Amino acid sequence: MFDARETLVREKFAAFKYIIPVVSGKGGVGKSMISAALSLALAKQYKTGLLDLDFWGASAHVLLNVDSKFPEEEHGILPEEVKGVKFMSVAYYTQGKPLPIRGTEYTDAFLELAAVTRWDDTEYLVIDMPPGMADPFLDILKYVKNGNFLVVSTPSKLSINIVSKTLEILKEQKVNIFGLIENMRSPEDYSNRIGRLAEKFNMEYLGYIPYYQNLDTKLDTLDDFISTDFFQKIKEIGSKFRNNFCKKPNR
């Protein structure tokens, strides 16, 4: 059955200059924190948006210290702006309550959220993806044709095992891959497992982020978060994106 939202969503995503879905086959690797930091870093130079598509565990609004007040409506939903980042999340609709949906219900909610959101002249869109390779992952592959995927893994063998499967699918789909980032590396870890994984899949290893034991204590305010070494590491990765992709057309 024809769904007019599908055409609208494709058009909306195609209007962005660059889309960066932050993905991983495994949960708990730090995608939300990386997504929030990357969008804040890019917003210092570009018109940037952040879309949280983790409908089951939305948390980007917590990192951005956004309240649950519903955004303004004018011919669509206008994302709330936080330090230059236009932010949209299903958390505005759920008001902090669980959202137990599955299968086609997720796709329907995704299409509705993507169709009604007004990004206007936003150039960059960072997408905080839920873990796994189910409907959310497949929907992004279907509707986002100008994505540059940022893949996140920790150095654990469990994470590498699952993330490698994500990379296989992305390679099979012939999508642009920004690179592979290693998060939460301990100071004693010199294994370079993620670097070898990137080499195996012939993609760029964007570097590692150390495990910062006291990072949670810096999340009370955005200014504290932006002052962290973690944020500076993500800012460096944002610079790599500009160097790698902004010098060439992405369509």
Side-chain angles (χ1 to χ4, degrees), residues 8 182 234:
L8 180 58
E182 178 179 1
I234 299 300

Side-chain angles (χ1 to χ4, degrees), residues 47-78:
K47 296 175 181 178
T48 303
L50 173 61
L51 175 62
D52 188 348
L53 287 184
D54 191 345
F55 288 4
W56 300 276
S59 57
H61 64 289
V62 177
L63 294 165
L64 294 178
N65 289 287
V66 173
D67 60 32
S68 58
K69 181 181 177 182
F70 198 80
E72 182 182 348
E73 295 186 57
E74 183 181 343
H75 307 294
I77 306 299
L78 296 172

